[in-house]
Amino acid sequence: MKKDNSKPIGIFDSGLGGLTVLKEVRKLLPEESLVYFGDSGRAPYGTKSADTVRAYTRQDIAFLLSKGVKAVVVACNTAAACAGRDLLDSFGVPVVDVIGAGSELAVSLTSSGNIGVIGTSATVASGVYERAVKALLPGCGFYAKACPLFVPLVEEGWWDDEITYEVARRYLEDIGDVDTLVLGCTHYPYLEKVIGEVTGGKIALVNSAKAVAGKLEQTLEKEGLRNKDGKPVTEYYTSDSVEKFSSLGKLFLGELGGNVFRADPEDFT
Ligand code: DGL
């Protein structure tokens, strides 16, 4: 049966942070239509138990499938970490996640073999990045640090604030001789400047949003799902206030370039 490559790509995150992924996907695949779901009504995911986040992830993907998507991007590191590949591979469409993409890029960039990851408490506690990186580069050095205060600082728009520098210094003071650091949370690309300066400009920072966009492109090509001459439409859905999503979304993206609608993921299983 011929595949319908004109269908949109679904992208979801616990909230607005995944717009960093949408931005990179749009840059790389400008002809593709996108459906973005931000689960702000149930965010943050990073402080919740793995079972709860796994259940949310199942509903988020079911919601996107109800919109007819041909592939799904799990932009949320915490969702991908807690869901696991068994769940992500069970939906009948390709599901690409930030963790595999970010780990592969980190391994390709390191020269010392000392790799680090920063993320939410749930992502770091899951150990998923450590397993992914060590499977690709056995025997490598590994550093992980939960940085829970970074998400609210980004959402506050304090991307270049002295408080953010101080918080980053406290979190990263023990980073040691890591030469490659995965920004393992969708919000963290907004703190690249702060993290880069605090770590002395000597560490390669892996923006997993860019990495996952590349992985998505490869997957669509491989599956014969790439749309190269579409008239792209973007739709946004949020489980919280449409007005709040729209105003914060503009802070994150500049222009949204699409309409925002309310959705309730609990209606989907
Ligand atoms: N979007 C989440 C991630 O990438 C972080 C925000 C949250 O805790 O919900 O891990």
Side-chain angles (χ1 to χ4, degrees), residues 13-14 43-47 75-78 120 123 151 184-187:
D13 181 52
S14 56
Y45 282 14
T47 50
C76 182
N77 289 258
T78 309
T120 64
T123 298
V151 169
C185 174
T186 47
H187 289 66

Side-chain angles (χ1 to χ4, degrees), residues 100-146:
S103 304
E104 281 170 29
L105 187 56
V107 166
S108 75
L109 290 176
T110 185
S111 26
S112 71
N114 288 318
I115 294 172
V117 64
I118 52 176
T120 64
S121 305
T123 298
V124 169
S126 76
V128 72
Y129 267 108
E130 180 162 13
R131 287 193 295 280
V133 164
K134 287 189 172 165
L136 295 165
L137 191 62
C140 68
F142 191 79
Y143 164 94
K145 180 59 84 64

Side-chain angles (χ1 to χ4, degrees), residues 9-12 21 25 64 71-76 94-97 212 216:
I9 295 161
I11 302 175
F12 79 93
V21 173
V25 169
L64 289 173
V72 172
V73 180
V74 186
C76 182
V95 177
V96 182
D97 77 88
V212 79
L216 173 67

